[in-house]
Amino acid sequence: IFVYFDYFKSSSEKSSTNLENSSSEKLVKGNEDLISEMSYFSVDNNGNRYEIFSKYGILNEGSDLILMEKVNAIVYLSNDEKVLINSDKANYNDDNNDTTFSGSVKMVYGEHIIKSENLNLSFKDQTAILYDSVKYESNLSKLNADRIFIDFLNKNTKIQMNNEKNNILVQSVIK
């Protein structure tokens, strides 16, 4: 795994850094180590690649979890397809590359655009679960649901509501 980052060593430098919004200021004032412009790259045995970038990140001592803000990620699948993911925040596991994205999550996969509040990505299993306020859009349809499970290996997708009594809202798009 290749890692690139700028590291601010002293706490006085951390607190004097001018940041754009209050949530970033909260990151800077923490006790952990702040990293700006963080990137991680990984390749599995099947040729799938995973790249994740963040404007800011915090390393937690004694843990494989890295807390990231203003996140962009790209999954390059072995069949030459790309999955693009953007979010406000992410918890990245440096050991297994599993990532939990949160806050204004947007995933683009081919012609499919899915927005949600949360996304759990398993790089090893090549799966994604999007949940909470899920909105799907393609050139054929739009839908609202509580949860979408995507298996990138076999292209299976499962769309669910948390309450079985509720219906998934699907709209056809006529162009």
Side-chain angles (χ1 to χ4, degrees):
I1 296 177
F2 171 78
V3 180
Y4 169 80
F5 56 86
D6 295 324
Y7 182 73
F8 294 101
K9 292 185 179 177
S10 75
S11 60
S12 63
E13 284 179 301
K14 289 181 187 178
S15 61
S16 66
T17 304
N18 184 14
L19 297 173
E20 296 172 13
N21 64 38
S22 62
S23 65
S24 295
E25 288 174 12
K26 290 178 188 171
L27 259 179
V28 174
K29 293 178 183 176
N31 294 332
E32 298 87 359
D33 294 325
L34 175 72
I35 300 170
S36 68
E37 304 301 328
M38 176 185 282
S39 301
Y40 282 88
F41 305 89
S42 181
V43 178
D44 69 11
N45 294 335
N46 298 321
N48 300 302
R49 292 182 324 182
Y50 182 47
E51 301 176 1
I52 187 166
F53 312 92
S54 70
K55 182 100 174 160
Y56 306 103
I58 294 177
L59 300 175
N60 285 322
E61 195 171 318
S63 171
D64 291 327
L65 282 183
I66 299 168
L67 309 176
M68 305 172 108
E69 281 207 20
K70 299 181 182 178
V71 182
N72 294 308
I74 305 171
V75 179
Y76 298 93
L77 302 173
S78 59
N79 61 4
D80 293 329
E81 291 181 306
K82 281 196 287 190
V83 179
L84 307 173
I85 303 168
N86 302 323
S87 70
D88 294 337
K89 297 180 181 184
N91 290 333
Y92 172 73
N93 186 316
D94 187 34
D95 183 49
N96 61 16
N97 301 307
D98 286 354
T99 309
T100 301
F101 298 89
S102 61
S104 300
V105 176
K106 180 179 179 182
M107 184 178 87
V108 179
Y109 177 48
E111 64 184 43
H112 312 281
I113 299 171
I114 307 173
K115 297 178 182 178
S116 69
E117 285 303 310
N118 298 289
L119 184 156
N120 295 345
L121 177 71
S122 172
F123 180 65
K124 177 185 161 206
D125 296 333
Q126 296 293 294
T127 60
I129 301 171
L130 295 101
Y131 55 99
D132 296 336
S133 303
V134 178
K135 296 180 185 336
Y136 166 88
E137 188 175 327
S138 74
N139 58 2
L140 298 176
S141 62
K142 295 180 180 182
L143 69 82
N144 294 337
D146 290 332
R147 180 179 302 267
I148 295 179
F149 174 83
I150 302 169
D151 186 330
F152 298 114
L153 293 175
N154 62 24
K155 310 260 192 244
N156 286 340
T157 302
K158 187 175 185 179
I159 303 167
Q160 298 175 313
M161 296 299 286
N162 292 334
N163 184 342
E164 291 179 9
K165 294 179 182 178
N166 294 340
N167 294 322
I168 299 168
L169 176 64
V170 179
Q171 299 173 331
S172 295
V173 176
I174 301 172
K175 293 184 180 185

